[in-house]
Amino acid sequence: MTVAARSEGPIRGRWIDDWRPEDESFWNGGGKRVANRNLWFSVFSEHIGFSIWSLFAVLVLFMPEQTYHIDTAGKFFLVSMPTLVGSVLRLPYTLAVAVFGGRNWSVISAALLLVPTILLAVFMHPGTSYTTFMVIAAIAGVGGGNFASSMTNINAFFPEKEKGKALGLNAGGGNLGVAVIQLLGLLIIATAGTGSPRILLGIYIPLIVLALLGSVLFMDNLTSVRNDTGALKEACSEAQTWIISFLYIGTFGSFIGYSFAFGLVLQNQFGRTPLQAATLTFIGPLLGSLIRPVGGALSDRIGGVRVTFWNFVAMAVAALICIGASAVDSLPIFVIGFVLLFITSGIGNGSVYKMIPAIFRTKALASSESRGWDQQAALLWARRISGAVIGIAGAIGAFGGLLINLAFRQSFLTMKSGVPAFWAFLAFYAVCFAVTYLVYMRRPKAATDPKTGSTVSYASV
């Protein structure tokens, strides 16, 4: 394994030229240590990214309507804007790993988080126009892009047998950023009141700097993914890319959408004050984040398809609980149902992402002979394409978070309740478990790759 600090045009950084994670001797002889080091600093940087991405979901609790003159519909738009921009940015962020290198882009993406945070430190006060807040909310969407580049980068570092756990830890640690910033928001509201949002910003500016320095000092680039910009285009031609992306709308779209909307739903459907809402909003994202690695690890053991199918069934049940609790106006039952949605979305996030490298590894090995590949070339293709699919699925899945917030906004505007939105979510989860069953569980164990004519089996994915 060669780690070199060298120039790549205008780019300088730590580059690893020889990376063979599937080689046991290479992996145990130092590869694992390097991969884990990159993983933990990636987790920290992504964690801060998620916090900044969900910053406005916390700040709206500091913005009473009588002071900031922003109504409920306006607040739902405000928390939707970072979701929209973050989902769009995930595609170029995925590509950026191939253009700049994983470590180099981690440095750049961490530095970008300073922009919305510093702007809010200046403009976060009554009297600032709604347009200004919307512009800064859009800039805060850069935090959503970090996930795609981080996951694409970490996917390339680990062997197939450890991808579920590694990707689960990376994503779960990142997702925890949502819960942590909500907990900090609760602490500030409880101690300093809703008039002190700048304290939150003062905490995160130095944390962003630490994430930036950690990326500079302790992360690496892999030469094998450098300039591999064609992987994204090739991934777009794969049917499995779009099926996985659709399923990820149901899991990650739910997680991030509910994370941004939970506080507003509690305030508007159950009349909670900002402090009362803040005491509950962190629970779901916290549990959903912590359990994501469990979804990945469980999928490593019994298969991502089985976990994903039954998880969507459980999500549909959780949505029914929220509908029933709303009908009898029971806050405790509603919170239980909503938290179950977070837990199941976390498990599903892990299981769906486990399916990605497994699907393309299976396809690569099955079609290697017809394509003239040896095993190493087939595994390299699988890593390339699965890394690109992770970015595409992440972008489309995040867009689901926007749809959830827009559904809640319309539901409260028309019915003064979130129930119609929950019925829509229930129907979507039913479609998701039907698609999982029809595509991956009901099909014969052997399917034919239309491009090569080779036999491909997804039965154990």
Side-chain angles (χ1 to χ4, degrees):
M1 178 175 62
T2 303
V3 181
R6 58 184 176 83
S7 173
E8 283 285 319
I11 303 169
R12 293 184 180 275
R14 294 156 51 105
W15 290 88
I16 299 177
D17 297 313
D18 179 29
W19 190 253
R20 292 171 283 111
E22 300 294 345
D23 183 330
E24 286 286 342
S25 60
F26 175 91
W27 183 248
N28 294 324
K32 183 176 183 179
R33 174 177 49 80
V34 173
N36 283 331
R37 169 164 48 77
N38 279 270
L39 171 62
W40 293 120
F41 283 95
S42 175
V43 167
F44 180 63
S45 184
E46 187 189 340
H47 176 97
I48 303 301
F50 262 96
S51 293
I52 301 306
W53 194 25
S54 54
L55 184 57
F56 271 89
V58 178
L59 290 181
V60 292
L61 300 176
F62 290 86
M63 302 168 70
E65 185 175 346
Q66 64 270 24
T67 304
Y68 283 81
H69 308 293
I70 302 174
D71 61 12
T72 299
K75 289 179 180 178
F76 270 116
F77 267 143
L78 202 55
V79 301
S80 297
M81 181 57 75
T83 316
L84 172 62
V85 175
S87 64
V88 172
L89 286 179
R90 286 186 167 194
L91 287 178
Y93 268 58
T94 300
L95 192 63
V97 173
V99 174
F100 297 98
R103 173 259 189 187
N104 292 342
W105 186 250
S106 293
V107 173
I108 296 169
S109 61
L112 288 173
L113 299 175
L114 287 169
V115 179
T117 316
I118 292 173
L119 285 174
L120 281 169
V122 175
F123 291 102
M124 189 65 207
H125 58 77
T128 297
S129 70
Y130 183 69
T131 300
T132 300
F133 280 127
M134 286 292 283
V135 170
I136 299 175
I139 298 172
V142 297
N146 284 27
F147 173 85
S149 54
S150 177
M151 294 291 279
T152 300
N153 185 43
I154 293 304
N155 176 67
F157 272 97
F158 283 83
E160 175 64 29
K161 66 180 181 179
E162 296 191 31
K163 283 185 188 291
K165 180 181 177 181
L167 292 176
L169 286 171
N170 192 54
N175 292 171
L176 270 174
V178 179
V180 170
I181 197 170
Q182 290 178 346
L183 273 169
L184 288 172
L186 167 62
L187 179 62
I188 293 168
I189 292 174
T191 56
T194 57
S196 305
R198 284 192 176 92
I199 296 176
L200 188 64
L201 304 171
I203 292 171
Y204 272 92
I205 289 173
L207 288 176
I208 294 170
V209 173
L210 285 176
L212 192 159
L213 291 175
S215 299
V216 169
L217 298 174
F218 300 107
M219 293 188 71
D220 302 293
N221 302 297
L222 296 180
T223 305
S224 59
V225 299
R226 177 78 165 94
N227 287 327
D228 188 16
T229 56
L232 194 65
K233 180 179 179 180
E234 193 172 350
C236 288
S237 67
E238 297 286 341
Q240 293 296 330
T241 299
W242 306 108
I243 297 171
I244 287 291
S245 297
F246 179 80
L247 297 180
Y248 203 55
I249 291 174
T251 58
F252 183 75
S254 295
F255 175 83
I256 201 65
Y258 294 146
S259 296
F260 288 11
F262 197 11
L264 290 174
V265 172
L266 291 174
Q267 289 183 79
N268 289 280
Q269 184 158 323
F270 291 94
R272 301 293 94 179
T273 66
L275 179 58
Q276 290 169 333
T279 60
L280 297 171
T281 53
F282 74 92
I283 299 173
L286 175 63
L287 295 178
S289 301
L290 290 174
I291 206 165
R292 179 166 183 159
V294 176
L298 187 62
S299 298
D300 283 338
R301 292 176 61 86
I302 66 174
V305 170
R306 293 186 183 89
V307 175
T308 299
F309 173 80
W310 289 109
N311 191 71
F312 276 125
V313 173
M315 292 183 79
V317 172
L320 275 175
I321 293 173
C322 291
I323 292 169
S326 300
V328 298
D329 198 31
S330 172
L331 177 61
I333 297 176
F334 182 84
V335 171
I336 290 172
F338 217 107
V339 170
L340 283 174
L341 281 171
F342 277 109
I343 292 172
T344 50
S345 67
I347 293 173
N349 287 337
S351 66
V352 171
Y353 258 36
K354 162 60 182 176
M355 289 169 63
I356 294 173
I359 284 172
F360 288 99
R361 183 178 189 273
T362 299
K363 182 171 183 176
L365 293 175
S367 59
S368 58
E369 183 176 348
S370 61
R371 299 190 188 209
W373 292 338
D374 58 19
Q375 185 179 44
Q376 185 173 347
L379 293 176
L380 178 60
W381 179 88
R383 285 200 300 273
R384 289 177 55 244
I385 301 304
S386 60
V389 173
I390 282 172
I392 295 169
I396 295 174
F399 184 72
L402 170 66
L403 298 179
I404 280 182
N405 278 279
L406 293 180
F408 275 128
R409 178 183 182 275
Q410 190 62 37
S411 186
F412 280 105
L413 275 177
T414 56
M415 300 296 293
K416 309 299 181 185
S417 167
V419 170
F422 281 111
W423 278 114
F425 305 149
L426 171 61
F428 186 77
Y429 298 145
V431 172
C432 286
F433 69 67
V435 168
T436 305
Y437 176 77
L438 293 172
V439 175
Y440 296 110
M441 299 179 75
R442 192 183 67 116
R443 291 174 67 182
K445 290 186 179 293
T448 301
D449 181 352
K451 292 186 176 182
T452 65
S454 302
T455 299
V456 183
S457 174
Y458 299 125
S460 60
V461 168

